[in-house]
Each structure stands twice: as C-alpha cells, then as structure tokens.
Amino acid sequence: MDIKNQIDTFSRYSKVSRETIKKLSHYEKILIEANKGLNLVGNSTISQIWTRHFLDSSQVIDFIDKNDKILVDIGSGAGFPGIVLAILADDRKMDLKVSLIEKSKKKNIFLTEVIKKLNLDVAQICQNIFDMKKITADVVVARAFKPLPIILELIHNKVINSKKFFVFLGKTGKKELDLASKKWDIKYKLRMSKTSIDSFIVEINTVKEKI
C-alpha cells in the first residue's frame, strides 16, 4: 500500500483534522531519518508507518473517556502508542496528560526531538520501569514491550489507581491470556485489531493473583 492510500486509510478510521495529518507526516519524516541510526522500528515496517504503527497505536483513543486524565506509555520506544495518542487527544480536545517511560537514553533523545518539533505537551521519564517504585495513572498502555506474564506482574506490583491497562497482543494473544489466567484472576475485554486479523488489544481492568 502506498503512502497516499495508507494516509487515506488512517484518516477514514481516525477522522482527524488536516492539521493532525500534517503533524503525523512530520513525525513520520523524523522517524524515518532517525531510524537510519537507531533501531526504532523494523525495516520491514518503515514503508508502512501509517498503518503498522500510527493506525495500530491510534485504536486505544476510542476507549479513553473524558474522566481519564493521565496516560502512561511503558517502554515507549519510538513513541508508540504514546506519541500518537497524545496527538489524537489534542485533535479531539481531550484533557489528557501523556507520559512516556523509556529506559534507553538514545531513544529518549529521539522522543525529545519529536515532542519539541511537534509542540506536544508530553512528559518523559528516562528510567527502567522495573526500578521505579509505583506508577500512578488512569490509563496505562504497552505495545511491543514485554511478554504478557511480565506485564501482569508489573500491573500487580507497580501500577496504582489505574482504571484501564491496554496491552497490544499478537496472534498468540488468546493463548497467552488462557495461560496467564491459571495464575491471575483477570477482568478484561478482548478486541480485534483494525490492522491485523491475527492481533488483539486487551483492556485489563483488574489483576489479582490467585490464591
């Protein structure tokens, strides 16, 4: 799919303004240039940024309501989904504060450049999340971060006051959830991804360790 068709597909699903499309196009250019020296996204997806990364990341915005004020993206990497969600929240005039947690100093330099050039109100935390004491947020998101069992341990041990925790899962997602349910009592909603029939987004509301 060429870039024009990708942007048309993204616009059809997201229904954002032309100004937001321009902002995302700027993000795309910064990412392509930075990816020459940093392993931000796989080379096989660099020509499909609008669908594989922008559209995929954007799906969560529809499940965030007006009472959600703080969103934390763990292991943000190239800014997916956190940067995309911050851009879409601004487009929708949502009062949502986005924070990115990323341990890599090099990736944080990239994120700083994106935030500055796109004039985004986004906070950065350059730290290993496993070294942090607690995370307070209404919404937490994780995409291409860690295996589900590690993420569930993280939710249980680190996250407080979170109403929703969104995890992007691949084709083994259902099997991962079934296995995780042997150890954890999980209340969740499973949604099919718009970008792949083999992928899912799971919205986790509570995680309790089974006794």
Side-chain angles (χ1 to χ4, degrees):
M1 189 184 297
D2 62 25
I3 294 298
K4 183 182 183 302
N5 285 332
Q6 286 187 57
I7 294 174
D8 287 346
T9 299
F10 179 88
S11 299
R12 188 169 68 253
Y13 280 109
S14 63
K15 296 178 175 60
V16 295
S17 67
R18 290 181 182 178
E19 189 61 35
T20 294
I21 292 296
K22 288 180 182 178
K23 189 172 285 190
L24 286 165
S25 293
H26 195 181
Y27 183 12
E28 178 193 25
K29 289 176 183 176
I30 299 169
L31 175 58
I32 289 172
E33 183 60 32
N35 205 58
K36 295 174 183 177
L38 291 172
N39 183 28
L40 294 166
V41 298
N43 289 328
S44 63
T45 68
I46 199 71
S47 63
Q48 304 167 53
I49 290 172
W50 284 89
T51 50
R52 289 289 296 275
H53 299 295
F54 289 174
L55 181 58
D56 192 46
S57 296
S58 73
Q59 297 178 83
V60 172
I61 199 71
D62 291 329
F63 311 127
I64 300 172
D65 63 48
K66 63 181 181 180
N67 295 318
D68 296 326
K69 302 298 183 184
I70 301 172
L71 180 146
V72 173
D73 177 10
I74 60 173
S76 192
F80 305 133
I83 292 285
V84 174
L85 293 173
I87 293 171
L88 267 63
D90 185 52
D91 181 87
R92 296 186 179 195
K93 304 294 189 292
M94 295 169 66
D95 183 19
L96 184 70
K97 179 66 177 179
V98 175
S99 294
L100 313 176
I101 301 177
E102 173 54 54
K103 69 177 182 179
S104 167
K105 290 182 179 179
K106 289 182 178 180
K107 289 178 181 178
N108 266 287
I109 291 170
F110 164 77
L111 291 171
T112 299
E113 180 185 4
V114 173
I115 291 166
K116 184 177 180 181
K117 288 186 175 179
L118 300 187
N119 193 29
L120 300 175
D121 182 19
V122 173
Q124 288 175 257
I125 303 169
C126 184
Q127 192 173 349
N128 188 328
I129 192 168
F130 297 99
D131 295 332
M132 297 174 68
K133 290 184 178 179
K134 295 291 180 183
I135 303 164
T136 301
D138 297 310
V139 180
V140 181
V141 292
R143 180 180 183 269
F145 175 55
K146 295 285 184 184
L148 186 61
I150 295 175
I151 292 175
L152 292 173
E153 289 276 359
L154 186 68
I155 297 172
H156 184 258
N157 296 329
K158 301 281 187 180
V159 180
I160 56 175
N161 298 330
S162 178
K163 304 169 192 171
K164 307 164 190 170
F165 199 119
F166 294 97
V167 183
F168 291 69
L169 298 174
K171 60 184 178 181
T172 62
K174 287 184 178 179
K175 186 181 289 185
E176 290 178 58
L177 280 166
D178 288 341
L179 288 172
S181 295
K182 294 179 180 179
K183 179 179 180 181
W184 301 99
D185 182 10
I186 315 166
K187 289 186 179 178
Y188 67 88
K189 299 172 187 173
L190 192 64
R191 297 182 171 92
M192 285 284 296
S193 172
K194 295 175 183 176
T195 60
S196 171
I197 59 172
D198 293 326
S199 299
F200 305 88
I201 297 175
V202 58
E203 176 186 333
I204 299 171
N205 301 113
T206 60
V207 176
K208 294 179 181 179
E209 193 165 11
K210 289 184 176 179
I211 299 173

